[in-house]
Amino acid sequence: MSEDTSKLGIGTDEWVAQHEKRLQRRSGALGIVDLLNQRVSNKVRYSALGVAAIVFGLFVHNLYLLRIASNLGVFLMMTLGINIVMGFAGLLDLGFVAFYGFGAYAYALTSSSQLNQHWPTYLSVPAIVIATAFLGYLVSLPSRRLFGDYLAIVTLFFGQIFIQLVLSSDSITFPGHTDSTDITGGSNGIPGLDPFKLFGRAFKSTSDYYWLLLIVITLLLIAVVRVNRTRVGRAWRTVREDPLASQSMGIKVNNLKTLAFVVGAAIAGLAGAIFAGIQSAVFINGFDIPLLTLIYAAVILGGSGSIPGSIIGAFVMSVLPEILRVQNYSEFLFLAVLVITIGVIGKNWKKLAINIVSLIAIGYFVKALFSLSHMTTTPTKTWAIAPVSKALQYWLVLPANRIVWGNMAFIALVALVAYYSIAHEKIKPWLLPIIAYIAIFVWEDRLVADASTTRQLIIGAMLVVMMIVRPQGFLGKTRVEVL
Amino acid sequence: MGYLGQQLVNGLTLGGIYALIALGYSLVYGVLQILNFAHGDVYMVGAFIGYFVEIALGGPSHTKVPVPVMIFIMFAVSMIGTGLLGIVIERFAYRPLRKSSRIAPLISALGVSILLQNAALLLFSANIRTYDTSSFIPSTAGFSIGSVNIDSVRFAVLILAMLLMFTLSKWVNKTQVGRAMRAIAVDRDAAVMMGIDIDRVIRWTFFVGAALAGAAGVMNGLLLRGVSNGMGFIPGLKGFTAAVIGGIGSIPGAMAGGLLLGVVESLTQGYLSTNFSDFYTFILLIAVMLLRPNGLFGKKAIVKA
Amino acid sequence: MTPLLTLEEVDTYYGAIHILQKVSLHVNEGELVCLLGGNACGKSTTLKTALGMVSPKVGKITFAGEDVTKKNTSHRVKMGIAVVPENRRLFGPMTVLENLKIGAYVRGEADPVDLERVFELFPKLKDRQSQLAGTLSGGEQQMVAVGRALMSRPRLLLMDEPSMGLSPRLVEQSFEMIAGLHAQGISMLVVEQNANMALSVADRGYVLQTGRIVLEGAAGDLAGHDELRRAYLGR
């Protein structure tokens, strides 16, 4: 709001009315995203997505791709669930993955030889959903009076307890028995689960689950969109925006919060059961913090409270790790992201060109320094063969001891980025190419080889930066408030 | 009787560590009303710093300096290092969010926690390291009261924890910065009107809270526990639990809560089951939240000493 | 006589809402100036602007000859502005003594001489110094609030609605105290709704109405002014 009202020559009220629009009109690449976003209606978008999903299911028979798609489906269910809990009702539920795990283990226990239970799917899945919902209700109880921060930590703790319970329930001695019973299989998990049996057929292939997920997600989406328009949906948003005011309007704030929490837990439970069916086995390490952060990153990236945002976030966060797993792609991907980032920050093409030219210059300069000082570098390629890698080889330094150099550069990178955020506006343009160079160095020399750590680092950094720069996410409109 | 006494001593030592972590949560919560999720990871960094100082001074069995001096340097460097880390975290992850919604700092803190854990993983690998205390302080050293053996490391840790808590109380009560901190916790705007430089006091708060966590990390290492990148998670949760039990924002509450939690954990491990001790801690947390949501000692969100 | 505090053509906004519009005022050394006005007319905002808790969009603020427009509150308090906030805003769970010491924050540790001075002014507080400030009566709290402000050895004392929430008898006492402080040579800017009371002790006064100064003059002139009554009655 740097404009002075009097200079605009319009009344203050009009000026206030335009305030929202002005905030949204952004320059650079992000502006284009906004524009595209406004042109197409939601109905068109959802239908296009649905058609794409059906086409994919009909024509793609590659097992690997179907696996990824099914995992994406499960992931999407969870982001939609989180979206209700955090996006609509404004609660930070960090035990969400535990409900997911609970659903998976509940399915495993009722559909395997572990406890010799082989319930029909029509019985086990609804029972699991109800049980998870009830568990969610129990967990939300102690935090009712103090939601917010407390709920976050209590649920986080709950998630940890779930993991410990599962891990140590492989030798439980019941009173009156002398021998111990193995309930959860401990760290070995439970293999050999029955497949789902629905619509008169046993689910043999991943493709069956794909269609099931498609149906479930469609129903879920319809439900979520509908609910969002009903009284409950409106009330949720009111509660999120201003709990105190809602309370005074006669809205039962606590009940609504609990409802959101319970619904979220139920969705997670269902997702867990389906996931267990797909994998036909359950292992506890799939239900830990890394998955949790991935889901939250997806929802926050897309925009908490925005359903399209959740979908896009889920796409990015569940497909991205697959890409990072392949070195060839990850080497390329980073450069692309980096160029885009510089473009967005630079905002105009001239600056972008200057940045890229100086970036290239720095590369050759450092390379020259290294060869002058006779530092040992690995002369032959150690990268996967790809055009990008080959091109990089002539430009980027590859020290012999890449771990040590990579670590030092990583520390330098963190320090520089931190400094950049508080540096004077005049220094910033100078720093940018240097940071970019070190980032490329760290990425190609150190991070590419360590995909899972890298993924977590990116997510962590993204959460912090996102909260500072754009807390509502890319597609979110409102700010989410927890009370 | 001897067994019970032993468990109590172990519990108090453990509780001292929890209390130091809990203090960090409470101090920060009192001043900013945010939960510093990354606090457990600061504790982890503290343990790592202690480890590398030990290596730099010649390693566990060939120290270049007398053992007490080495331990002192380990604590000093670790506390200063984590204290500075605390300031950096506040500056970059929390200060830009001071005027934003309540959920933003929580998520930002979650991000910092993930960042710290994985940066440590990247830099130090997943190897579990130990201080190997027994090679410079023989585990037989110590003394007995009746049938209760107190080995000297345990004793030193307990005494040091008490000393740090005592110093903290004095600091909060008797210095202008400490008073200003409490004043901000009561009424931030009024504190600003008195000319208190909020940013400076918040920096101090983070420094002190993080330094205490760093000390706790070194203590954990000295007690022969492993040092690794994920070690901060559970103690972080326990520290938070201790802070809630005592009443979040209350300094004596955090101390008492930590000690109580340590004793409860030690007793459940000794008499019930080792596997489920965290489960009992969780039950204790839930019970306190249901029965006394403001904690056993706390008035809500007021730092008092 | 050089003015101690000046506000020159200050414009202040809360978000998009225009609060103060070209407000200019000054307080001379040793003067007691009162700022009068009804509810929500910008009195408190004026004080906050002088103190640096609200920054003006346009305009200049000087204190003791120095331009402090861009300086934060801490700096201004250090230079010698102290405030007795609306509703006193004591630190309730802290003792009286601690409250007083907080007042001396910008001076480092509290000076025993200043403490003695406050206890001389308010002998009652000496007996109550280890009592929690929140447990005191309204009048005693007022004493602590004033004492706390004096602990920083201010050159200018800002008072925000000193009569608010006090019984009529205490209001009278409160203004006696203000007059007493004034007699000791402390410069003051007092914001009040109770115009009669404020004008009875002030040297000069300003009247603020919906963010603008509509009237100013010597306290005696203002007290008999017709427009003052009108200013309070309507827009």
Side-chain angles (χ1 to χ4, degrees):
Chain A
M1 278 189 296
S2 52
E3 300 104 316
D4 188 274
T5 30
S6 55
K7 279 176 198 153
L8 282 173
I10 49 175
T12 311
D13 285 344
E14 209 173 321
W15 188 78
V16 171
Q18 288 179 355
H19 178 70
E20 192 70 16
K21 260 190 196 163
R22 216 165 331 151
L23 276 183
Q24 283 181 7
R25 201 190 305 137
R26 282 173 295 157
S27 55
L30 288 176
I32 300 172
V33 176
D34 282 353
L35 212 65
L36 283 178
N37 200 19
Q38 284 157 8
R39 284 287 156 83
V40 193
S41 81
N42 263 339
K43 245 181 205 156
V44 175
R45 265 184 261 159
Y46 285 132
S47 333
L49 207 63
V51 170
I54 290 171
V55 169
F56 181 91
L58 286 178
F59 295 102
V60 175
H61 299 292
N62 178 325
L63 192 65
Y64 175 67
L65 287 181
L66 274 173
R67 247 317 145 75
I68 292 183
S70 305
N71 285 345
L72 169 64
V74 174
F75 196 86
L76 188 54
M77 283 183 71
M78 285 195 285
T79 51
L80 288 175
I82 287 278
N83 202 12
I84 291 176
V85 186
M86 179 172 74
F88 292 175
L91 304 171
L92 197 56
D93 173 9
L94 298 180
F96 196 75
V97 186
F99 296 123
Y100 172 62
F102 179 81
Y105 267 88
Y107 181 75
L109 292 178
T110 52
S111 318
S112 72
S113 2
Q114 183 76 12
L115 300 179
N116 251 327
Q117 301 290 324
H118 297 277
W119 298 12
T121 310
Y122 284 118
L123 174 63
S124 67
V125 169
I128 288 167
V129 171
I130 291 168
T132 324
F134 184 66
L135 187 66
Y137 175 68
L138 287 184
V139 173
S140 79
L141 274 187
S143 332
R144 267 175 80 103
R145 265 178 286 191
L146 306 146
F147 276 103
D149 309 347
Y150 285 84
L151 186 74
I153 295 234
V154 167
T155 49
L156 186 65
F157 208 151
F158 167 73
Q160 213 49 39
I161 293 301
F162 171 74
I163 290 172
Q164 287 199 356
L165 281 182
V166 170
L167 275 179
S168 29
S169 297
D170 56 350
S171 56
I172 301 274
T173 314
F174 287 105
H177 291 260
T178 44
D179 53 339
S180 63
T181 321
D182 175 2
I183 297 178
T184 58
S187 54
N188 295 326
I190 304 173
L193 310 187
D194 306 337
F196 272 40
K197 284 191 198 72
L198 289 174
F199 318 116
R201 58 184 284 172
F203 282 25
K204 292 233 169 54
S205 70
T206 311
S207 166
D208 292 330
Y209 287 102
Y210 177 83
W211 291 112
L212 173 68
L213 277 165
L214 200 56
I215 294 168
V216 171
I217 289 171
T218 309
L219 293 177
L220 199 60
L221 270 175
I222 292 172
V224 169
V225 171
R226 280 278 162 86
V227 164
N228 207 12
R229 289 190 198 131
T230 60
R231 251 182 89 219
V232 173
R234 274 198 303 276
W236 268 338
R237 265 168 297 162
T238 335
V239 169
R240 183 190 69 197
E241 296 303 331
D242 192 342
L244 210 64
S246 337
Q247 186 100 54
S248 60
M249 301 283 289
I251 295 174
K252 295 211 164 48
V253 172
N254 268 344
N255 291 354
L256 273 168
K257 284 177 171 178
T258 309
L259 180 65
F261 193 83
V262 167
V263 169
I267 293 174
L270 178 61
I274 297 177
F275 178 71
I278 297 175
Q279 301 283 314
S280 81
V282 286
F283 302 102
I284 189 63
N285 49 7
F287 307 112
D288 210 344
I289 304 293
L291 178 66
L292 180 77
T293 54
L294 211 57
I295 299 172
Y296 266 93
V299 176
I300 288 163
L301 185 77
S304 169
S306 145
I307 296 163
S310 301
I311 297 175
I312 292 173
F315 261 106
V316 173
M317 281 301 149
S318 107
V319 179
L320 191 69
E322 295 300 327
I323 297 175
L324 282 181
R325 217 166 272 169
V326 186
Q327 273 206 13
N328 257 336
Y329 295 156
S330 60
E331 282 164 7
F332 171 74
L333 186 78
F334 181 67
L335 289 175
V337 169
L338 194 78
V339 170
I340 293 171
T341 312
I342 295 178
V344 170
I345 295 178
K347 271 177 191 155
N348 73 45
W349 301 111
K350 194 178 144 200
K351 274 188 191 157
L352 179 63
I354 294 175
N355 274 326
I356 289 178
V357 168
S358 40
L359 173 59
I360 293 171
I362 291 173
Y364 285 116
F365 178 67
V366 175
K367 187 108 183 167
L369 270 188
F370 262 75
S371 43
L372 279 180
S373 58
H374 301 287
M375 283 283 216
T376 41
T377 57
T378 34
T380 51
K381 61 169 173 54
T382 43
W383 282 316
I385 303 158
V388 180
S389 311
K390 269 190 183 160
L392 271 177
Q393 216 166 300
Y394 296 105
W395 177 73
L396 193 66
V397 173
L398 290 160
N401 195 342
R402 287 164 81 173
I403 292 191
V404 172
W405 280 96
N407 284 352
M408 290 199 304
F410 174 75
I411 294 170
L413 178 66
V414 172
L416 270 179
V417 170
Y419 176 65
Y420 180 85
S421 71
I422 54 168
H424 194 270
E425 286 301 324
K426 278 179 187 159
I427 306 173
K428 278 185 176 179
W430 295 96
L431 281 176
L432 207 53
I434 300 176
I435 289 176
Y437 177 78
I438 299 181
I440 294 176
F441 180 86
V442 173
W443 181 270
E444 307 291 344
D445 274 311
R446 183 79 187 90
L447 294 180
V448 160
D450 226 331
S452 63
T453 311
T454 304
R455 189 168 76 204
Q456 293 290 319
L457 280 170
I458 295 174
I459 291 175
M462 194 206 84
L463 290 180
V464 177
V465 172
M466 206 74 184
M467 281 304 110
I468 295 168
V469 179
R470 198 171 156 80
Q472 69 273 45
F474 280 119
L475 294 182
K477 292 208 174 68
T478 47
R479 289 176 10 154
V480 176
E481 178 72 25
V482 163
L483 230 260
Chain B
M1 190 56 218
Y3 186 67
L4 177 65
Q6 197 75 55
Q7 293 301 332
L8 281 176
V9 170
N10 291 352
L12 284 177
T13 317
L14 192 63
I17 293 180
Y18 290 156
L20 290 179
I21 301 173
L23 282 168
Y25 276 111
S26 262
L27 287 173
V28 168
Y29 193 89
V31 174
L32 281 181
Q33 277 80 49
I34 60 168
L35 284 177
N36 182 8
F37 266 121
H39 197 56
D41 302 292
V42 171
Y43 158 91
M44 174 270 292
V45 172
F48 265 108
I49 295 178
Y51 172 79
F52 286 114
V53 169
E54 189 185 13
I55 298 297
L57 292 175
S61 42
H62 306 91
T63 53
K64 293 177 204 150
V65 292
V67 172
V69 176
M70 180 182 79
I71 292 180
F72 175 78
I73 298 177
M74 280 161 73
F75 273 104
V77 176
S78 172
M79 287 177 73
I80 293 171
T82 48
L84 294 177
L85 177 66
I87 291 178
V88 170
I89 292 175
E90 189 274 324
R91 176 65 187 80
F92 292 102
Y94 298 141
R95 194 181 304 173
L97 300 174
R98 221 176 272 166
K99 289 202 176 79
S100 66
S101 64
R102 292 271 278 160
I103 203 171
L106 279 176
I107 292 171
S108 177
L110 198 65
V112 172
S113 167
I114 299 167
L115 268 182
L116 285 178
Q117 277 186 36
N118 287 282
L121 181 62
L122 190 78
L123 298 178
F124 310 137
S125 82
N127 297 342
I128 295 177
R129 296 170 166 87
T130 67
Y131 282 25
D132 202 8
T133 319
S134 50
S135 59
F136 54 88
I137 304 174
S139 50
T140 49
F143 56 92
S144 313
I145 304 170
S147 55
V148 180
N149 292 314
I150 301 171
D151 70 69
S152 43
V153 179
R154 228 167 251 291
F155 184 67
V157 164
L158 187 57
I159 293 297
L160 201 61
M162 299 297 162
L163 202 67
L164 283 174
M165 287 189 245
F166 179 74
T167 316
L168 179 81
S169 301
K170 283 274 166 265
W171 180 73
V172 169
N173 273 324
K174 302 290 177 202
T175 65
Q176 279 290 57
V177 177
R179 268 194 288 270
M181 205 179 76
R182 283 184 292 145
I184 293 173
V186 177
D187 184 342
R188 182 184 308 183
D189 277 350
V192 173
M193 289 182 205
M194 295 303 115
I196 292 171
D197 182 348
I198 299 279
D199 285 342
R200 178 166 169 264
V201 177
I202 289 175
R203 264 198 303 278
W204 267 106
T205 310
F206 269 85
F207 181 88
V208 170
L212 292 176
V218 176
M219 290 175 183
N220 175 76
L222 285 176
L223 288 173
L224 278 178
R225 296 214 189 79
V227 176
S228 67
N229 74 312
M231 67 180 277
F233 184 58
I234 292 282
L237 286 179
K238 299 240 177 93
F240 166 78
T241 306
V244 171
I245 289 176
I248 193 132
S250 152
I251 289 169
M255 297 178 187
L259 292 174
L260 178 68
L261 194 62
V263 170
V264 167
E265 186 174 327
S266 185
L267 290 182
T268 50
Q269 277 183 355
Y271 289 97
L272 289 168
S273 137
T274 19
N275 277 348
F276 293 104
S277 71
D278 289 347
F279 180 68
Y280 299 122
T281 309
F282 184 63
I283 297 297
L284 185 64
L285 171 68
I286 299 291
V288 168
M289 286 180 79
L290 279 177
L291 302 175
R292 294 210 52 155
N294 289 341
L296 299 180
F297 304 85
K299 290 178 188 157
K300 208 169 139 199
I302 289 173
V303 177
K304 46 176 203 149
Chain C
M1 191 155 41
T2 53
L4 190 56
L5 172 82
T6 66
L7 271 67
E8 295 169 23
E9 310 243 301
V10 167
D11 273 17
T12 311
Y13 291 83
Y14 276 139
I17 306 162
H18 206 155
I19 305 285
L20 296 184
Q21 303 178 31
K22 294 211 187 327
V23 167
S24 297
L25 58 80
H26 66 274
V27 180
N28 291 323
E29 195 95 52
E31 212 178 11
L32 200 172
V33 175
C34 62
L35 183 61
L36 308 171
N39 274 324
C41 66
K43 292 181 314 241
S44 286
T45 309
T46 311
L47 266 203
K48 282 182 178 162
T49 311
L51 199 58
M53 296 190 60
V54 174
S55 44
K57 183 152 266 177
V58 195
K60 187 176 160 190
I61 300 154
T62 67
F63 184 72
E66 192 185 318
D67 183 351
V68 294
T69 316
K70 296 264 183 286
K71 305 285 189 206
N72 62 16
T73 307
S74 183
H75 184 95
R76 296 188 202 187
V77 175
K78 226 171 267 175
M79 286 180 71
I81 306 182
V83 65
V84 179
E86 193 175 336
N87 287 327
R88 297 168 286 282
R89 302 284 278 271
L90 295 185
F91 303 108
M94 298 167 74
T95 65
V96 170
L97 187 62
E98 282 179 322
N99 267 279
L100 294 178
K101 283 181 174 173
I102 284 285
Y105 180 83
V106 290
R107 299 176 47 80
E109 284 300 322
D111 194 331
V113 178
D114 294 330
L115 267 180
E116 271 319 303
R117 204 164 67 105
V118 170
F119 288 146
E120 226 168 82
L121 204 57
F122 308 113
K124 235 181 187 172
L125 294 186
K126 190 159 190 170
D127 312 325
R128 306 249 156 148
Q129 53 177 301
S130 51
Q131 202 170 322
L132 294 185
T135 62
L136 299 179
S137 71
E140 290 164 337
Q141 289 199 5
Q142 179 83 315
M143 293 175 193
V144 179
V146 173
R148 184 177 65 173
L150 291 176
M151 286 299 288
S152 64
R153 293 196 193 166
R155 298 179 62 184
L156 172 69
L157 192 59
L158 308 177
M159 290 196 139
D160 200 348
E161 307 265 6
S163 71
M164 184 179 270
L166 296 181
S167 69
R169 195 173 55 87
L170 283 174
V171 170
E172 220 155 281
Q173 278 181 13
S174 191
F175 276 95
E176 270 166 31
M177 177 178 75
I178 291 171
L181 290 172
H182 179 42
Q184 291 184 19
I186 297 175
S187 322
M188 278 191 265
L189 176 60
V190 179
V191 161
E192 247 315 327
Q193 282 200 49
N194 190 337
N196 287 332
M197 218 45 178
L199 287 172
S200 71
V201 295
D203 299 323
R204 282 191 307 118
Y206 294 89
V207 178
L208 202 59
Q209 192 188 349
T210 55
R212 293 174 199 275
I213 301 251
V214 290
L215 207 58
E216 60 176 292
D221 295 348
L222 283 181
H225 207 290
D226 284 354
E227 258 187 63
L228 183 62
R229 308 190 63 163
R230 234 179 297 149
Y232 277 101
L233 287 176
R235 305 191 147 223

